[in-house]
Amino acid sequence: MERYDILVVGELNVDLILNRLPSLPVEGKEILAEDMTLTLGSSSAIFASNAAVLGNKVAFLGKVGNDSFADLVITSLQNKGVNTNHIIKSKSEQTGATIVLNYGEDRAMVTYAGAMETLSVSDISEDVLIKARHLHVSSIFLQPALKQGLISLFSKAKNLGLTTSIDMQWDPDEKWEVDLEKLLPLTDVFLPNEAELLALTSTKNIDDAIETVRPYINTLALKMGNKGSRGVQGNEDVFVKPWLNKNVVDAIGAGDSFNAGFITKYLEGFSLNECLKYGNLAGAVNTTGAGGTGAFVSLKEFRKTALDRFGVKY
Ligand SMILES: Nc1ncnc2c1ncn2[C@@H]1O[C@H](COP(=O)(O)OP(=O)(O)O)[C@@H](O)[C@H]1O
Ligand SMILES: [Mg+2]
């Protein structure tokens, strides 16, 4: 039987990025962009690609349409060595897309979610789960059908002996309806950023937020942007400084790359401190290239960037 280190369950879409606009668009008028990129989008896909580059055997389970965007998504994942056999092609829905309008430091985005909205736990069979050592789920608020069945998915995974992680990401509706008491005990690694943890716990400072989730968590890995990261596990509570990049190309996907680094070391059995360090390094390397996957070409290149830019040897 084929085995995976990580099964990623999550959203898939393309990003159509329009750069160098003369202004943001105005109703009723047309403007011209001077530059355009059509590329693999979605947090889950960035995580999967970069976890594969860092040396894990990764398979993806998600839902796309039966269209050319789907081909782009699938080919891009395959190019990074991600197994795409479990991606479902819906006949009645379209692949999601995000149009990104970059104007100077400002950006406006429009997303059509498409097929990701109907991916549900019934699409994830036990036969697929048992092939994996670890289950990672991301972006639950973009996937309402999946979110509904999350606790049953995580219970099933735990019963089958998998370890689990989740990066819930931002809730566009800002309702933050998650049963943390039930979900977090089934989650081995919980990977929010500071804003998300505050919103999820309806608290105003991080220490209160951590106290709120402490009774339910196994491992918390909290992402703190250019301040680094903090980990909480049992009685341990550690802060790890970032490898600060002062020439950030962009921070798109830094959190997903952090997740990929953290989970890589977690699956190798390393300490909380080591996992946070490698997460920080992956986040920092992410910021040296365009988009979420630009800086992750191969493990060799990753190590070279780590050494050349941050003086770290791995
Ligand atoms: N300017 C930076 N220099 C170095 N590392 C960074 C920088 N920005 C982010 N990181 C790293 O990437 C991780 C994730 O970034 P963050 O912005 O917190 O996540 P998210 O994208 O989920 O909001 C951080 O914890 C940090 O380790
Ligand atoms: Mg994030």
Side-chain angles (χ1 to χ4, degrees), residues 5-313:
D5 296 316
I6 307 173
L7 176 70
V8 181
V9 171
E11 89 287 17
L12 289 168
N13 66 267
V14 299
D15 280 350
L16 178 63
I17 307 164
L18 301 177
N19 286 319
R20 294 167 55 211
L21 305 176
S23 65
L24 283 175
V26 178
E27 205 179 323
K29 294 190 179 179
E30 180 169 2
I31 52 171
L32 295 177
E34 286 184 35
D35 180 61
M36 175 181 98
T37 313
L38 177 61
T39 179
L40 174 67
S42 94
S43 254
S44 304
I46 293 170
F47 170 81
S49 299
N50 296 350
V53 167
L54 292 179
N56 299 283
K57 264 193 100 179
V58 182
F60 204 106
L61 197 159
K63 204 166 176 188
V64 292
N66 191 6
D67 47 34
S68 52
F69 282 174
D71 298 338
L72 187 150
V73 162
I74 290 170
T75 310
S76 305
L77 286 169
Q78 286 173 347
N79 286 343
K80 292 291 173 91
V82 176
N83 179 311
T84 59
N85 292 342
H86 306 294
I87 293 179
I88 302 157
K89 274 191 166 182
S90 164
K91 288 199 175 66
S92 55
E93 293 147 302
Q94 289 165 285
T95 306
T98 295
I99 315 291
V100 184
L101 301 168
N102 278 325
Y103 169 62
E105 300 279 284
D106 273 344
R107 56 166 43 182
M109 295 193 276
V110 185
T111 292
Y112 176 71
M116 71 175 71
E117 287 193 315
T118 61
L119 176 72
S120 89
V121 171
S122 59
D123 293 319
I124 308 161
S125 74
E126 254 181 53
D127 295 348
V128 180
L129 285 172
I130 54 168
K131 292 184 180 181
R133 288 171 58 203
H134 183 87
L135 170 70
H136 178 80
V137 172
S138 180
S139 312
I140 58 172
F141 302 106
L142 300 177
Q143 304 173 95
L146 180 67
K147 182 171 170 287
Q148 280 258 312
L150 210 53
I151 286 160
S152 104
L153 174 65
F154 273 54
S155 312
K156 212 196 269 181
K158 292 303 296 173
N159 286 334
L160 292 169
L162 286 81
T163 49
T164 56
S165 54
I166 192 162
D167 182 342
M168 297 178 196
Q169 303 282 13
W170 192 254
D171 178 4
D173 291 332
E174 297 190 39
K175 290 191 181 139
W176 303 99
E177 285 166 357
V178 184
D179 190 344
L180 296 174
E181 277 181 53
K182 286 217 178 85
L183 182 62
L184 294 182
L186 299 167
T187 304
D188 291 290
V189 187
F190 174 36
L191 297 148
N193 66 21
E194 288 180 295
E196 290 154 1
L197 187 63
L198 290 173
L200 270 167
T201 55
S202 310
T203 51
K204 296 226 160 52
N205 73 71
I206 286 296
D207 288 320
D208 290 347
I210 290 176
E211 286 320 307
T212 309
V213 294
R214 196 187 286 278
Y216 316 118
I217 51 171
N218 292 295
T219 297
L220 166 71
L222 180 69
K223 289 163 280 184
M224 303 163 64
N226 62 15
K227 293 180 296 175
S229 57
R230 181 171 168 183
V232 180
Q233 190 180 64
N235 291 328
E236 238 186 306
D237 187 341
V238 289
F239 166 74
V240 179
K241 280 193 311 214
W243 276 288
L244 195 60
N245 179 10
K246 294 201 178 101
N247 283 306
V248 171
V249 174
D250 66 57
I252 297 168
D256 309 309
S257 296
F258 173 96
N259 298 346
F262 188 99
I263 296 299
T264 300
K265 289 295 169 197
Y266 182 82
L267 292 178
E268 290 172 6
F270 280 90
S271 67
L272 178 60
N273 204 61
E274 266 306 309
C275 295
L276 292 166
K277 264 174 73 181
Y278 204 57
N280 280 357
L281 181 64
V285 167
N286 180 111
T287 64
T288 66
T293 56
F296 288 77
V297 178
S298 65
L299 188 54
K300 199 170 155 222
E301 287 276 316
F302 173 82
R303 288 186 174 134
K304 189 173 179 323
T305 308
L307 189 59
D308 293 353
R309 294 290 298 266
F310 305 108
V312 211
K313 212 165 173 184

